[in-house]
Amino acid sequence: MSRFWKIVLLVIAVLLVAGIGYRMMGGGRQAGGAAPTAGGPGGRGGGDKARDPVPVTAVAAERRNVPVYVTAQGTVAAYNTVTVSPQVGGELLSVDFKEGQTVKKGDLLARIDPRTFQAQYDQAIASQRQNQALLATAQSNYERSNSEAYRQYVAQTDLTTLRNQVAQYQAAVAAAQASANQSRVQLGYTRIVSPIDGVAGIRAVDPGNVVSAGTAIVTLTQLQPIYVLFNLPEQQLEAVRAAQGKGPLEAATLDRAGGSVVNADGRLQVVDNQISASSGTFRLRAEFPNADQALWPGQFVNVRMKLDELPDAVVVPAEAVQRSSTGDFVYLIKPDNTVTLREVVQGGQVDDSHVVISKGLQPGDKVVTEGQFRLKEGVTVNPLQPGQAPPAPTEAQLKAASEKRGGGGGRGGRGPR
């Protein structure tokens, strides 16, 4: 860089420093000049602004019939779970279901090589027919020997033998019939069918393997209806049993956030017969139709169960209730549109947006739901409906505000002398 440009930059830097120092000195005089006017018109203007109504959103407390709920975390469990296994051994010829498929009771799931069992059945049928033929011969001999024409020529002992022979072959035919029935049952076991309506899981064995009785093929779970298991503290046992005595209790599952209802058609089915000594809770089971299959076994859900209903309860939006070190309170709007702090006692949550006030408010009392951060005792407010915006300022209000700003500036509004 040349010497000329160095001199230029140095001059610019000096001018900048001088300008900043001048501004700072001028600002100090303005601040000092404005101070005496604090008690003058500018000060009174600031006081007027402090007395301007504060726009807030206000809602009146209302009277409702409020349901009383208990909530807990629960686990979804299948209505029925069946591990399908063959009852006879042999080569697995085919798997006749798709994993994840919905199956009906009696649907074919798999087939085992039936040839051995078919041969055993055929053999039992043949034995049965043989014994039936022998029985027919024995009956014919006995009937002929016992007829009037031949009885006098046959010894009594021979008649007894012939009669016993008939009984013997009758027993043989019955045994052969039982053997044939057993063989037919064994042959039927080579077709593995679904014992329930449900959803097939992941298969545990592939076709071509030799399986034996007890080898798992697939697990079926019944989803319609379905159970939800959950626990409640032992202090609520009496209330639950009392409510259950009045009629079926409604149960619902909520989303992860615990606010929106997912399934509302559940019913409490059973309360367990003992309290856990380790956790101090008791177990409950609710049943849901699960028509849309939104509930799945093993899923964690939030459960809400209705116990009772509070008639004519005072209800306000949840955002109206503020909390302090001494308890809950609301900003109550008095008839002259000033606010006062009113201590309240909550009586429970109505839904995800309202709460019950058991003490401190009456129906019709207006409470502030938005804008509390600008309030204190005795402040005048401009109550607005939910969603309503404050009215735009008029030209006169804008002019007055401009004059207040000009007057409050003192000599600083006219610029440095």
Side-chain angles (χ1 to χ4, degrees):
M1 182 182 293
S2 63
R3 182 177 181 184
F4 172 76
W5 286 109
K6 290 182 179 179
I7 294 173
V8 170
L9 291 175
L10 181 61
V11 171
I12 292 173
V14 171
L15 291 176
L16 286 174
V17 171
I20 292 172
Y22 176 78
R23 295 283 293 181
M24 293 178 65
M25 293 174 64
R29 287 194 300 271
Q30 290 177 15
T37 65
R44 289 192 300 270
D48 293 338
K49 185 174 181 180
R51 290 192 294 271
D52 288 344
V54 177
V56 296
T57 301
V59 175
E62 58 182 347
R63 195 179 291 279
R64 290 190 195 176
N65 293 333
V66 178
V68 178
Y69 295 110
V70 291
T71 58
Q73 289 187 333
T75 305
V76 181
Y79 191 82
N80 283 312
T81 301
V82 177
T83 300
V84 179
S85 303
Q87 294 178 267
V88 295
E91 180 185 354
L92 188 64
L93 295 182
S94 65
V95 172
D96 298 281
F97 67 90
K98 293 182 179 179
E99 296 166 321
Q101 171 189 349
T102 299
V103 297
K104 298 294 184 181
K105 184 177 181 179
D107 286 354
L108 180 65
L109 300 179
R111 292 185 303 118
I112 294 175
D113 186 358
R115 291 174 295 181
T116 301
F117 302 97
Q118 182 67 53
Q120 292 174 356
Y121 175 68
D122 294 341
Q123 184 179 5
I125 292 296
S127 177
Q128 180 184 6
R129 290 174 180 172
Q130 181 182 12
N131 285 286
Q132 286 174 343
L134 294 173
L135 173 62
T137 302
Q139 285 177 335
S140 178
N141 292 334
Y142 174 70
E143 291 173 358
R144 183 174 59 253
S145 300
N146 196 37
S147 65
E148 292 183 2
Y150 290 93
R151 186 182 303 165
Q152 57 182 332
Y153 303 109
V154 179
Q156 188 63 37
T157 56
D158 292 338
L159 283 176
T160 302
T161 300
L162 291 173
R163 185 173 60 249
N164 292 340
Q165 195 173 30
V166 170
Q168 178 183 352
Y169 285 128
Q170 285 176 338
V173 168
Q177 179 65 51
S179 178
N181 290 341
Q182 183 182 15
S183 298
R184 184 170 59 250
V185 171
Q186 296 294 310
L187 180 61
Y189 286 155
T190 61
R191 288 174 51 87
I192 303 172
V193 298
S194 174
I196 61 170
D197 296 343
V199 176
I202 298 174
R203 69 186 185 193
V205 65
D206 298 323
N209 286 282
V210 176
V211 297
S212 59
T215 302
I217 302 295
V218 68
T219 298
L220 303 179
T221 54
Q222 185 174 350
L223 305 181
Q224 296 172 328
I226 203 166
Y227 291 138
V228 174
L229 304 171
F230 58 100
N231 291 1
L232 289 176
E234 60 179 311
Q235 293 83 356
Q236 296 178 343
L237 176 59
E238 183 177 352
V240 171
R241 294 185 63 190
Q244 191 181 26
K246 299 177 183 177
L249 299 185
E250 301 175 2
T253 59
L254 312 177
D255 60 9
R256 285 285 186 177
S260 301
V261 175
V262 178
N263 298 87
D265 49 3
R267 293 289 184 273
L268 179 66
Q269 187 187 54
V270 64
V271 177
D272 201 3
N273 58 2
Q274 59 183 350
I275 296 173
S276 172
S278 59
S279 63
T281 61
F282 62 98
R283 204 176 191 193
L284 306 95
R285 187 175 71 187
E287 181 180 318
F288 289 79
N290 200 28
D292 55 358
Q293 294 190 2
L295 300 175
W296 208 256
Q299 177 183 359
F300 289 97
V301 293
N302 293 306
V303 184
R304 186 178 71 186
M305 187 172 66
K306 182 179 177 181
L307 291 185
D308 202 354
E309 188 170 80
L310 296 177
D312 299 330
V314 179
V315 177
V316 297
E319 56 267 23
V321 181
Q322 305 293 302
R323 290 171 176 79
S324 68
S325 58
T326 58
D328 297 336
F329 68 93
V330 297
Y331 282 106
L332 177 67
I333 301 178
K334 297 191 292 187
D336 60 355
N337 281 348
T338 60
V339 296
T340 182
L341 274 70
R342 175 71 59 85
E343 293 184 355
V344 295
V345 177
Q346 295 191 53
Q349 187 168 346
V350 179
D351 48 34
D352 56 347
S353 61
H354 288 75
V355 295
V356 174
I357 302 299
S358 58
K359 185 178 180 181
L361 289 178
Q362 296 296 325
D365 288 346
K366 284 189 176 181
V367 294
V368 178
T369 59
E370 294 183 24
Q372 295 96 325
F373 68 96
R374 301 176 61 185
L375 302 182
K376 61 182 180 180
E377 182 73 29
V379 169
T380 302
V381 297
N382 177 22
L384 305 173
Q385 296 293 328
Q388 180 183 1
T394 63
E395 293 185 3
Q397 290 173 332
L398 291 174
K399 184 176 180 181
S402 177
E403 290 176 353
K404 288 178 182 179
R405 288 195 297 270
R411 286 178 355 211
R414 295 189 293 271
R417 293 179 297 175

